[in-house]
Amino acid sequence: MGIPVKLQAFEGPLDLLLHLIEKNKVNIYDIPIVEITDQYMEYLHEMETEDLDVMSEFLVMAATLLDIKSRMLLPPEVDEKGEEVDPRDELVQKLLEYKMYKYMSYELRDRQDGAAFHYYKQPTIPDEVKEYRPPVNIEELLGDLTLSRLHTIFRDIMRRQENRYDPIRSKFGSLKREEIDLSGTMRFVQQYISGKKTCMFREILVLRSGKLYKIVTFLTLLELMKEGKVAVEQEETFADIRIDWTGTDDGVSEEEFAQDYA
Amino acid sequence: MELGKAEAAIEAILFAMGDSVELERIAKAIEQDAETTRKIIYHMMEGYRTDRRGIQITELDGSFQLCTKSELYEYLIRVAKQPKKLVLTDVVLETLSIIAYKQPITKLEIEKIRGVKSDHAVNRLVEYNLVRELGRLDAPGRPLLFGTTEEFLRHFGLHSLEDLPMINPVQLEDFKAEAEEEIQTKLEV
Amino acid sequence: MELGKAEAAIEAILFAMGDSVELERIAKAIEQDAETTRKIIYHMMEGYRTDRRGIQITELDGSFQLCTKSELYEYLIRVAKQPKKLVLTDVVLETLSIIAYKQPITKLEIEKIRGVKSDHAVNRLVEYNLVRELGRLDAPGRPLLFGTTEEFLRHFGLHSLEDLPMINPVQLEDFKAEAEEEIQTKLEV
């Protein structure tokens, strides 16, 4: 199903979220997280951006939404005062703040239109006045600057420079941008799971490198759970996740998989 | 110094300098204290208000500058080149409004609020001279701090940062009230 | 068009243009004939003659221009000559210390160390006569090399650059080790 809105029109994940909230005419303080997350994911799928920086920002928000969504299913957390914590609170605060500045930017735009009709004048100071430079009183200027202070300043700069210098990355020679093909990666993860029938989450993570790959892998897993194609099990928090393929369509066999991705 | 002479001197100074001139510099030049000078300038501003005058004095954060009256714009564009109008995109305006209200602010803080990288927008704003570096934050990495310029005040017709349109508390309250009402309605259903 | 409005428009035009403007152009802008316009301008010139005004209209070969009254020249000089209180900013100090210890050094090398553009700071230091150009580096672009001046030595009571307090090489190694350790820790987390 196509979405008739140009995705590039959104300046970022918050902008897109605000749009969805307004479009659905829902209350920002009581976001129906399931619907909004679904719609958000739908937009994400439609997104055809080559810009990885932009994409990763949208993906981070997707992960946040999914996290909130899952926390909404759990029994409510309670803060130190014994009050229930709404998992949506932090997001709501962010959205409100963002919305406020967006609103202020419209105010500024209006102001600008009113202020544009003044002309100013170039300086017409006579040259001899313009070129006059008062003599610099060096003693006064340097004041109580001592050699040891100058020395300390230099030492601090060198220390900062060393801190900036990253001995590990600098050995790489040149840094490559992380390249990731979103739909390809999702297919890859799905094929891997369906091929193995049963596997561990960490096992998939080490197949490829990069933060984006990890995010996409996690998203894919959530997606497969939603579609009922996998069943997952985790014994305790932070433990590895066991994934069982329960999908009906035939997965790719291990041999084929090995051929494809050798 | 006689009042008339002081006014004449100030007009000459502002005219010749073209740019905005700090109150203290004007005061020193006419050999008066700052408060007297301010009073004289405010008195002059009244005088410029008459219909026969085409220019006026505008105050910018404790400095003063001469400019044409906006209602005469139509005559000016018939002779003078139309000043290039700065077109600020939504992204740039959004970033600018965050900087204006939160200054001094680092790029990272801007990005936190907007949820996206803002380098490009900040660089544009510095290029347009609406935003400038204010120094560095005393924190790891010593990130740059940004704030607005005098050109920013001029561009938006503000006399100081205190003139910034306030976030209308009524409006924000409206948002809240709306929200609560909706919840109420749902509960009653 | 009413006389007052015409005068205002002419003042604004002359102000915005800065240069002299031909009578015909002014006349066209205010939609009057040349003779009427000239009369209006002459009438305005009378008005500027009062002691309270600091500017006046001068006629130059059928063109008109606004300028300051010559008897107010001394005030202009006083504004321009006011010594601004000079302060050495952190940026300037940092740049000075780098030049002192690393001379001869190019702007590019300074920028590499500081991580930011340093033109302004270097220019200031040259202006203060603490730093001078030493020549050019025999490299592409033949960049300028900078070093400290005799004035610099004099101020700090140094007889030569060798008297500069040394940076302990052991300390530099320590910095490096510290930095590596930090990264190591981060990676292990």
Side-chain angles (χ1 to χ4, degrees):
Chain A
M1 70 200 99
I3 290 150
V5 179
K6 275 292 249 192
L7 284 156
Q8 277 73 8
F10 295 106
E11 287 163 23
L14 289 169
D15 202 26
L16 171 53
L17 265 185
L18 274 184
H19 167 79
L20 292 176
I21 288 168
E22 273 156 28
K23 201 185 80 175
N24 287 283
K25 298 198 172 60
V26 296
N27 181 349
I28 200 165
Y29 289 96
D30 188 24
I31 302 169
I33 210 80
V34 178
E35 281 107 294
I36 295 291
T37 304
D38 288 350
Q39 289 181 25
Y40 186 93
M41 297 305 284
E42 217 173 290
Y43 270 92
L44 220 57
H45 284 298
E46 291 289 315
M47 239 167 127
E48 282 167 16
T49 175
E50 295 292 309
D51 190 337
L52 280 170
D53 280 341
V54 174
M55 195 59 198
S56 64
E57 279 153 357
F58 279 93
L59 285 174
V60 170
M61 178 56 79
T64 308
L65 285 173
L66 292 167
D67 174 56
I68 295 174
K69 188 171 150 186
S70 59
R71 273 160 59 200
M72 298 284 286
L73 297 172
L74 299 171
E77 293 165 44
V78 174
D79 67 10
E80 57 269 24
K81 285 184 209 143
E83 281 166 28
E84 278 186 17
V85 181
D86 190 328
R88 297 170 298 183
D89 276 354
E90 208 185 316
L91 181 66
V92 169
Q93 287 316 314
K94 273 193 101 155
L95 279 168
L96 279 178
E97 188 175 21
Y98 177 73
K99 188 174 178 164
M100 184 174 78
Y101 288 111
K102 214 171 162 52
Y103 168 70
M104 293 321 295
S105 76
Y106 298 146
E107 289 273 305
L108 277 181
R109 191 205 312 274
D110 293 345
R111 291 267 174 155
Q112 145 179 275
D113 293 338
F117 301 110
H118 295 288
Y119 272 80
Y120 296 87
K121 179 182 153 294
Q122 292 302 309
T124 38
I125 287 276
D127 285 347
E128 65 269 30
V129 177
K130 194 161 55 193
E131 276 153 27
Y132 176 83
R133 287 270 176 283
V136 180
N137 182 341
I138 202 79
E139 298 302 322
E140 199 185 302
L141 178 67
L142 292 179
D144 51 3
L145 177 66
T146 59
L147 265 188
S148 76
R149 172 126 183 269
L150 200 65
H151 178 240
T152 312
I153 293 170
F154 183 65
R155 215 188 48 205
D156 289 347
I157 299 169
M158 297 319 282
R159 180 196 287 267
R160 250 177 15 230
Q161 208 200 356
E162 287 302 340
N163 281 339
R164 218 170 46 215
Y165 172 81
D166 177 339
I168 296 185
R169 284 205 161 199
S170 67
K171 283 181 194 126
F172 290 167
S174 70
L175 291 175
K176 268 213 233 128
R177 210 161 85 138
E178 275 183 74
E179 296 286 349
I180 191 158
D181 158 20
L182 186 65
S183 56
T185 308
M186 291 183 103
R187 216 171 34 244
F188 166 75
V189 173
Q190 177 170 350
Q191 280 176 342
Y192 182 84
I193 300 172
S194 61
K196 297 272 285 191
K197 301 295 178 209
T198 293
C199 67
M200 301 305 282
F201 184 58
R202 283 188 189 150
E203 175 185 334
I204 310 174
L205 286 188
V206 298
L207 292 175
R208 291 187 186 177
S209 63
K211 190 162 75 182
L212 261 176
Y213 168 69
K214 290 185 173 61
I215 296 172
V216 173
T217 303
F218 184 63
L219 291 178
T220 309
L221 186 61
L222 291 167
E223 197 57 30
L224 291 174
M225 281 164 67
K226 196 181 119 195
E227 290 171 17
K229 288 181 179 167
V230 293
V232 298
E233 217 181 292
Q234 187 181 29
E235 291 197 348
E236 56 187 301
T237 323
F238 299 123
D240 205 341
I241 303 166
R242 187 190 140 105
I243 307 166
D244 289 307
W245 181 258
T246 56
T248 47
D249 46 331
D250 266 333
V252 188
S253 75
E254 210 162 337
E255 291 76 28
E256 280 172 286
F257 174 78
Q259 273 170 359
D260 275 352
Y261 294 101
Chain B
M1 190 186 211
E2 183 209 322
L3 180 68
K5 183 82 186 255
E7 294 199 356
I10 293 170
E11 186 176 59
I13 289 168
L14 293 179
F15 178 86
M17 300 294 281
D19 284 329
S20 67
V21 188
E22 297 95 24
L23 177 65
E24 288 69 32
R25 291 183 77 194
I26 302 172
K28 263 202 186 142
I30 63 166
E31 294 171 321
Q32 301 288 332
D33 62 73
E35 268 331 288
T36 312
T37 310
R38 187 192 297 278
K39 272 187 203 137
I40 299 173
I41 296 176
Y42 284 169
H43 180 254
M44 290 169 73
M45 283 164 121
E46 278 305 313
Y48 282 105
R49 215 152 276 162
T50 142
D51 283 346
R52 292 177 54 213
R53 303 303 310 267
I55 53 178
Q56 62 182 19
I57 299 179
T58 136
E59 183 168 3
L60 296 157
D61 207 10
S63 294
F64 296 90
Q65 185 166 12
L66 274 179
C67 67
T68 61
K69 290 183 179 170
S70 56
E71 64 263 33
L72 298 168
Y73 186 73
E74 52 162 327
Y75 298 105
L76 295 176
I77 47 174
R78 291 190 202 151
V79 255
K81 249 190 274 163
Q82 222 161 324
K84 242 205 229 147
K85 215 178 157 197
L86 214 50
V87 185
L88 301 174
T89 61
D90 287 354
V91 185
V92 168
L93 265 175
E94 204 178 284
T95 310
L96 182 58
S97 81
I98 294 171
I99 295 175
Y101 285 93
K102 293 275 233 179
Q103 60 186 305
I105 187 171
T106 64
K107 269 189 200 168
L108 196 72
E109 292 173 286
I110 300 169
E111 284 164 16
K112 259 199 201 149
I113 294 175
R114 295 194 52 230
V116 272
K117 281 253 173 237
S118 304
D119 287 271
H120 186 74
V122 173
N123 293 346
R124 269 296 97 74
L125 286 166
V126 170
E127 197 177 293
Y128 296 153
N129 191 28
L130 293 171
V131 159
R132 67 196 173 100
E133 298 173 3
L134 292 180
R136 284 174 184 279
L137 185 68
D138 201 6
R142 304 202 359 112
L144 280 168
L145 288 164
F146 294 89
T148 52
T149 61
E150 199 184 86
E151 179 62 29
F152 165 80
L153 295 179
R154 251 193 308 268
H155 187 84
F156 291 99
L158 305 169
H159 297 299
S160 81
L161 285 177
E162 281 154 33
D163 278 1
L164 271 176
M166 273 322 289
I167 293 159
N168 187 343
V170 178
Q171 202 142 13
L172 272 189
E173 277 310 307
D174 277 354
F175 291 157
K176 250 185 222 168
E178 250 173 59
E180 273 158 30
E181 209 169 288
E182 263 172 62
I183 293 169
Q184 215 49 50
T185 324
K186 272 187 201 153
L187 286 175
E188 280 159 14
V189 167
Chain C
M1 188 186 211
E2 187 206 321
L3 182 67
K5 184 83 186 253
E7 293 198 357
I10 294 170
E11 186 177 58
I13 289 167
L14 293 179
F15 177 85
M17 298 297 281
D19 285 329
S20 65
V21 188
E22 296 93 28
L23 178 65
E24 287 71 30
R25 288 181 75 192
I26 303 173
K28 254 196 190 150
I30 64 167
E31 291 170 322
Q32 301 289 332
D33 61 69
E35 269 330 293
T36 312
T37 308
R38 187 193 299 276
K39 271 188 205 138
I40 298 173
I41 297 176
Y42 284 170
H43 180 254
M44 289 171 74
M45 283 163 112
E46 278 305 314
Y48 282 108
R49 216 150 277 160
T50 145
D51 282 347
R52 290 178 54 211
R53 303 304 310 269
I55 51 178
Q56 62 185 8
I57 299 179
T58 59
E59 183 168 3
L60 303 147
D61 206 12
S63 294
F64 295 90
Q65 182 168 9
L66 269 182
C67 63
T68 54
K69 289 185 180 170
S70 56
E71 65 263 34
L72 298 168
Y73 186 74
E74 54 163 323
Y75 295 103
L76 300 185
I77 302 243
R78 275 199 225 149
V79 181
K81 279 198 175 171
Q82 268 173 51
K84 276 195 207 139
K85 180 104 177 78
L86 292 174
V87 264
L88 285 180
T89 59
D90 287 355
V91 181
V92 173
L93 274 176
E94 270 179 31
T95 311
L96 178 61
S97 80
I98 295 170
I99 294 175
Y101 281 95
K102 294 275 209 178
Q103 62 187 303
I105 187 170
T106 65
K107 271 188 197 168
L108 196 72
E109 291 172 292
I110 299 171
E111 283 162 17
K112 259 199 200 149
I113 295 175
R114 292 195 51 235
V116 276
K117 278 256 172 236
S118 305
D119 287 272
H120 187 75
V122 174
N123 294 346
R124 272 295 96 79
L125 287 165
V126 170
E127 193 185 311
Y128 299 154
N129 191 29
L130 291 169
V131 159
R132 68 196 171 98
E133 297 172 4
L134 294 178
R136 286 179 183 278
L137 184 68
D138 200 5
R142 304 200 10 103
L144 279 168
L145 287 163
F146 293 89
T148 51
T149 60
E150 247 177 62
E151 178 67 45
F152 172 84
L153 294 181
R154 222 177 353 253
H155 180 84
F156 290 104
L158 300 170
H159 299 298
S160 82
L161 286 175
E162 280 152 35
D163 288 351
L164 270 176
M166 275 323 291
I167 290 278
N168 190 338
V170 178
Q171 203 156 22
L172 272 188
E173 277 310 307
D174 278 353
F175 293 161
K176 238 183 235 176
E178 253 174 55
E180 269 164 42
E181 209 170 287
E182 246 173 73
I183 290 160
Q184 212 51 51
T185 324
K186 274 186 206 150
L187 285 176
E188 279 160 15
V189 169

